[in-house]
Structures are given as C-alpha cells and as structure tokens.
Amino acid sequence: MTHGQSSSAEAKATVIDGKAVAAEIIAKVAVETGRLIAAGGVAPGLAVVLVGDDAASQVYVGAKGRKATELGFHSVQHTLPLSTSEAEVLAIVGELNRDPAIHGILVQLPLPRHIDTTKVIEAIDPAKDVDGFHPINVGRLAIGERDRALVSCTPAGCLLLIQRVLGDLAGKNALVIGRSNIVGKPMAQLLLQESCTVTVAHSRSRDLPGLARQADIIVAAVGRPEMVRGDWIKPGAVIIDVGMNRIPAPERGQGKTRLVGDVAYAEAAAVASAITPVPGGVGPMTIAMLMANTLTAACRAAGKPEPTF
Amino acid sequence: MTHGQSSSAEAKATVIDGKAVAAEIIAKVAVETGRLIAAGGVAPGLAVVLVGDDAASQVYVGAKGRKATELGFHSVQHTLPLSTSEAEVLAIVGELNRDPAIHGILVQLPLPRHIDTTKVIEAIDPAKDVDGFHPINVGRLAIGERDRALVSCTPAGCLLLIQRVLGDLAGKNALVIGRSNIVGKPMAQLLLQESCTVTVAHSRSRDLPGLARQADIIVAAVGRPEMVRGDWIKPGAVIIDVGMNRIPAPERGQGKTRLVGDVAYAEAAAVASAITPVPGGVGPMTIAMLMANTLTAACRAAGKPEPTF
C-alpha cells in the first residue's frame, strides 16, 4: 500500500497497490509449493487450453504459463486451431481430468461459437476447476463451503485487497456493480460470507449514484469507462475497480489509447479512503489467485493441508 | 388475491392469498401430470426419507406424501429409526437414485447429528434433488441456468407470489432479510435474475429499518417474531413474510400460543400495498412448489417439455 499519488493534488485516498499484494501472494505460493514438494507431494500442475487465435487470449495464456513455470509448477499448454470440434476439446479435458500430474485446468474463454462453453466447463473435474466456474464450485461458494470450493480468481483477489484495507468486514455496506458470473455474482457471495450487507446493482438498477453513496465498499465490474463518478462516493469508502477499458487518448498522439477503469479515478481518489488504480490494481491479483488456486488443488489432491491466502 | 381484511380498520394492503395461489399451482400440476402420463410418460415419483421421530418433521413428511398421492404421483416414504447410520441413509439414497420410478428425492432435514447432512445432500442425483439443495443446483441457479436447475421450493414460491402482485420486477429494489441457504440466498438469486436491485441483510447488518425503507419488495426470512415493523416499510411496498414463529398467546387462555411471522402484520398491512399473512401466505406455496419440482424432474427424465409455473 502506498499513499496518495502526488500527481493529483486532490487525491487523498490510499492507492491499493495490487501489484505489490499480488507479488506477496506469488511469493507465498512459491514457499508453499516448496513445502508441498518437500512433504512428498508433487509439483502443482496447471494446464491451459486455448482454442483459436484471439490475440488477447494468447497474451493471457502466455502470462499464466510463464508465471506457473516461474513458480516451479508443472505447466502444460494446449493451443488448438479455431476449427477444433467440441468433441476434441472435451476429449482433451477428459485426458487432463485423468492426468494425476495436472491439478488445475483452465479453458481460456471465450471459446469459438461452435463450442458449447457450459458443456466444456461442466466437463472439467470440479477439483481441478481453478477458474471456479463449474456450477458445483459456484454452488459450494454460495452455501458457505468455500473450503471445499475453488473460487473465481478475480473476486477472490478483490476480497483480499478489501480485507487488506479494512480488516474485518462485518456489517459494512458493500455495493457490487455488475452481475456477471465471473466477477459480480461470486463477489457478492464472498462479501456476504464476510458478513457485509451486500447490494448487487446492474444495468437495470435505478439511481445508481444514490445506491453508491450509501456504500462503504464499492466493487465496480461493468466494463463502462469511468462510469462511477466522484460525487457518487461516500467520503472514506473503499473503491475496487475491476474495469479495464481501452479508450482513445488523442492527447497522447493520433490513434493512441489508454486504459481506464469503471471508476473516474481522480475524482474518486479525492473522496475515497482507498482505491485500486487501473492498471496495477485488481489485474495482477487475478493471475496470483489462479496460482494460489492451483496450489490449493494440488494440496487437496495430495491430502496435505492447504495454505490460506 | 383478496382485498384488505375488514378485521383491521387500518389495513390497506392487498392480502396475498398464498393458499389460493398454491391451489392453482397444484391444479396445474394435476393437469400436467395427466398430460405427461397420456403422452406415454410415467407418473411423477416422489420419495421422502425421514430419519428419527421429530414430531414437526413427521407432520411435514405426512403432508407431502398426502399431496403427492392426491396428485396421482407415485409416492414412497422411508421412515428410519433415529439409530440409522449414515451409510444406511446413503445406501437408500443410492437405491432411489437408480430407481427409474422415482423422480424426486427429499431427505427431510434436520438429520440426526451423527449423519453428515452435506454428504447426504451431495449423494442425491441432482436431477432428482427436488429440494434444490445440491450444490450443482445452487450453482446452476446462481449462473442463470434455472432451466437446468431445481430451485429451493420456498423462495421459488415467494417469487411467484411477488410476480402475481407486481408483474415485471426489473429495476425494483428488493431487500432479503436473512441469508440462509434454504431461503435467503436462493431468494436473492431469483430476484437478481428478475433484474431487481437486490440487497441481502442479516443479523450483522446496520440500520435494518433504513434499508427496509428503501425497498419496493421485502422478503423477511429470519425467524424473529414480528421483527419488521410498520414504520420500516415504504408506503406501497410488497411484503413477503417467510417467518413462522410460535409465540405465547395468554389472551387465548393459559398456555395457549399463536403463529406469527417475521413481520408485525397489522402495522405492515397499514402501509404496504400487498402482504402475505401468516399462516396462509408463503407456507402453502412450499409444498406446491415441491410438487411442481417433482413434475418438472419427471418431465425432464421422460424427455418431455416441462410446464412453467
């Protein structure tokens, strides 16, 4: 955690340094991986399946593979042509399910249209579903069995950032903006489990500014550039910005762009007590939690105690 | 739906007649059961498993069995002594899973302490889990695959009552008080799916009256007699009272009791636009939705179209 950036005279908020927190988690994963191996376990194994040649997906998959290798994981990547059939993808998932050297299976989304995403996700052994997307993992999180579930990486990372700032969350009013299966809904479940009063808002919600002004914690995950304004924020609130929106930045030159979140950063930083920047906030946490989930799955497979993050 | 009871000069709210709505659902289940059988399907089969001799559980199980028989369902009841082992319960569940005449399996809760409830619930074939408690059903509801899930009966019934009064729920502010796995959490998921802005409050929430005053819909499911007061309610709100609390009623004679909900009925009825009474509101809906779920499971097993409720 570093204090308010000097670049904005207005900013009062603590900048939540996701990069630094993620690095701590990665360091812990490294230590615990060594411990697991020393205790007679095998190295955690992560398999990533990529279908097609989407450029962004290639970047993500590459980053995940490198981080896994860096940590001493067994890392496998299946890169399949766009023409791959659903049956072929299911066959690979089946093989990975049976492979005792693989503890985590991640099928990079989105899949091409001719493949049924739900079918593929449900084919993954829930114990290896390190993305936390299998309905049985979603269900276990919802019914309070997080210790038997694997939880979606981005919201799990957001929760850790919030807890770093606030400690115990019981009784806090939390607003989650966005109701995706990947971020909004599991985020709400995690905050509810921490005894927040949780509100989920979305595109059909009325008076979003009014809802936001009552929140001690706001998690914005809608994909609309700088939608959450400074005057929506209760003084002292903690703001987690999951958005990653590329917008034109003509001030940087013709055709240039820049990344912004779902929160108008400078305005929000003048009111909030703590805020995640974009980039460098939530982003780095996602990959760190993926590594943590893979280690967790490996510990469970080996019948060894799992570290807490 | 009947209009404000004349017994209270104050009451303005429509009394939501759960008994009448439940009767309509039961009638539809009867018609659709006939249609399924006529189309070459088998009669829906419901098996109820009861362990021990808890008096309340016996009453519930008896009512479920009678309703199933009345509807022409194949109805089976396993009543097992308190001393039954977990392995014996699991063996019975396994047999019922394999029995093609059985489409719905309900293990009456609570189970005796020496039996692991989670293990028993997870042993039920999710396609036969008519209580909607299996994590895969919970997960499918959460990720928006309600058409492949079976949904917990009480919140599914509450949703129908709310829709009867309000029609389209998009953009309504809904407050769910209580975060149980059986009512509060699935209720929140259902309301979110209907595009409500959903807040879940509970024992750790601050300023519950303030939260309630912003709600267009309140579902109270906490088990605290008459906790929700009239002055917590926004004029015109719709109030669903899941509570069933037995309290002393000395005015009825020594040792007498009466049933009240989680909402102070007379006060609330003076402010709300519609309210469920206790008894006769949510209660009858639960058993109706159990029958609807069993029919749904039977239609799916037979590969026949399922009716919507």
Side-chain angles (χ1 to χ4, degrees), chain B:
Chain B
M1 226 74 58
T2 61
H3 280 279
Q5 293 176 317
S6 58
S7 60
S8 164
E10 291 274 348
K12 293 187 296 189
T14 297
V15 180
I16 302 172
D17 187 346
K19 230 168 144 176
V21 178
E24 283 176 41
I25 290 166
I26 289 293
K28 183 165 181 184
V29 171
V31 169
E32 295 291 342
T33 295
R35 192 166 298 179
L36 174 65
I37 294 170
V42 295
L46 175 63
V48 181
V49 180
L50 172 64
V51 186
D53 47 13
D54 180 68
S57 290
Q58 282 175 336
V59 171
Y60 297 142
V61 163
K64 290 165 186 172
R66 273 193 306 280
K67 190 58 79 183
T69 305
E70 202 180 299
L71 279 165
F73 285 13
H74 172 59
S75 172
V76 176
Q77 188 178 322
H78 290 267
T79 309
L80 308 166
L82 189 61
S83 60
T84 309
S85 72
E86 183 179 284
E88 288 169 306
V89 175
L90 290 172
I92 287 172
V93 168
E95 272 170 44
L96 294 169
N97 282 343
R98 288 184 296 274
D99 186 343
I102 296 298
H103 308 98
I105 303 170
L106 185 154
V107 178
Q108 185 66 40
L109 302 183
L111 286 167
R113 289 189 181 193
H114 65 277
I115 297 177
D116 181 341
T117 303
T118 302
K119 211 184 232 176
V120 172
I121 288 173
E122 292 202 4
I124 298 171
D125 179 346
K128 298 189 177 187
D129 166 42
V130 283
D131 256 343
F133 295 166
H134 192 291
I136 208 163
N137 281 319
V138 175
R140 283 184 175 148
L141 169 62
I143 61 185
E145 297 191 344
R146 198 182 162 181
D147 54 335
R148 295 178 65 214
L150 290 163
V151 178
S152 186
C153 302
T154 300
C158 292
L159 180 65
L160 286 187
L161 294 180
I162 298 167
Q163 288 175 318
R164 288 274 174 136
V165 179
L166 290 176
D168 181 24
L169 306 184
K172 302 279 183 198
N173 290 331
L175 176 68
V176 177
I177 312 178
R179 52 172 164 170
S180 72
N181 290 332
I182 294 177
V183 184
K185 288 192 214 162
M187 187 77 250
Q189 296 291 354
L190 288 168
L191 291 165
L192 188 57
Q193 219 122 88
E194 298 302 322
S195 295
C196 292
T197 301
V198 181
T199 299
V200 182
H202 43 77
S203 57
R204 306 296 299 270
S205 291
R206 296 175 193 156
D207 189 21
L208 203 45
L211 291 167
R213 278 181 206 116
Q214 300 173 57
D216 304 307
I217 300 161
I218 296 176
V219 180
V222 278
R224 290 182 55 189
E226 301 177 327
M227 183 186 73
V228 177
R229 309 308 310 190
D231 65 357
W232 295 21
I233 292 170
K234 177 166 130 176
V238 172
I239 312 298
I240 306 292
D241 190 350
V242 185
M244 284 276 254
N245 312 288
R246 194 161 281 288
I247 61 167
E251 74 279 9
R252 296 187 178 180
Q254 213 200 340
K256 296 285 181 188
T257 61
R258 61 190 180 101
L259 269 184
V260 298
D262 292 346
V263 178
Y265 183 83
E267 290 176 20
V271 190
S273 68
I275 184 168
T276 58
V278 175
V282 172
M285 293 298 287
T286 300
I287 197 162
M289 297 315 292
L290 175 65
M291 299 302 133
N293 274 352
T294 305
L295 172 62
T296 297
C299 290
R300 290 179 189 169
K304 304 285 180 194
E306 56 191 82
T308 50
F309 290 95

Side-chain angles (χ1 to χ4, degrees), chain A:
Chain A
M1 229 69 61
T2 60
H3 281 279
Q5 294 176 315
S6 57
S7 60
S8 163
E10 291 276 348
K12 294 187 296 190
T14 297
V15 180
I16 302 172
D17 187 345
K19 228 168 146 176
V21 178
E24 283 175 41
I25 289 166
I26 289 292
K28 184 166 181 184
V29 172
V31 169
E32 296 290 342
T33 295
R35 194 166 296 178
L36 173 65
I37 295 170
V42 295
L46 176 63
V48 181
V49 179
L50 173 64
V51 185
D53 47 14
D54 180 68
S57 290
Q58 282 176 337
V59 171
Y60 297 142
V61 163
K64 290 164 185 173
R66 275 193 306 281
K67 189 59 78 181
T69 305
E70 202 181 298
L71 279 165
F73 284 13
H74 172 59
S75 172
V76 176
Q77 189 178 321
H78 289 267
T79 309
L80 308 167
L82 188 61
S83 60
T84 309
S85 71
E86 184 180 282
E88 288 170 305
V89 175
L90 291 172
I92 287 173
V93 167
E95 272 171 44
L96 294 169
N97 282 344
R98 289 184 295 275
D99 185 344
I102 296 298
H103 308 97
I105 302 170
L106 185 155
V107 177
Q108 185 68 40
L109 301 183
L111 285 168
R113 288 185 180 197
H114 64 277
I115 298 177
D116 181 342
T117 303
T118 302
K119 209 183 232 180
V120 172
I121 288 173
E122 292 202 4
I124 298 172
D125 179 347
K128 297 189 178 189
D129 167 42
V130 283
D131 256 343
F133 294 165
H134 192 291
I136 208 164
N137 281 317
V138 174
R140 283 184 175 149
L141 169 62
I143 61 184
E145 296 191 345
R146 198 184 160 179
D147 54 335
R148 296 179 64 215
L150 290 164
V151 179
S152 185
C153 301
T154 300
C158 291
L159 180 66
L160 286 186
L161 294 180
I162 298 167
Q163 289 175 318
R164 288 277 174 132
V165 178
L166 290 176
D168 181 23
L169 306 185
K172 302 279 184 197
N173 289 332
L175 175 68
V176 178
I177 311 177
R179 52 174 164 168
S180 73
N181 290 330
I182 294 177
V183 183
K185 287 191 212 161
M187 186 78 250
Q189 296 290 355
L190 288 167
L191 291 165
L192 188 58
Q193 219 123 86
E194 298 302 323
S195 294
C196 291
T197 301
V198 180
T199 299
V200 181
H202 44 78
S203 56
R204 306 295 299 269
S205 292
R206 296 175 194 158
D207 190 20
L208 203 44
L211 292 167
R213 278 182 204 114
Q214 301 173 55
D216 305 307
I217 299 162
I218 296 175
V219 180
V222 277
R224 289 183 55 188
E226 300 178 327
M227 183 185 73
V228 177
R229 310 306 311 187
D231 66 357
W232 294 22
I233 292 170
K234 177 166 132 177
V238 172
I239 311 298
I240 305 294
D241 189 350
V242 184
M244 285 276 254
N245 312 288
R246 193 162 284 287
I247 61 168
E251 73 281 6
R252 295 186 177 180
Q254 216 203 337
K256 295 285 182 187
T257 61
R258 62 191 179 97
L259 269 184
V260 298
D262 292 345
V263 179
Y265 183 83
E267 290 176 21
V271 189
S273 69
I275 185 168
T276 57
V278 175
V282 171
M285 293 298 288
T286 300
I287 197 162
M289 297 315 291
L290 175 65
M291 300 301 134
N293 273 353
T294 306
L295 172 62
T296 297
C299 290
R300 290 180 188 168
K304 305 286 181 192
E306 57 192 83
T308 50
F309 290 95

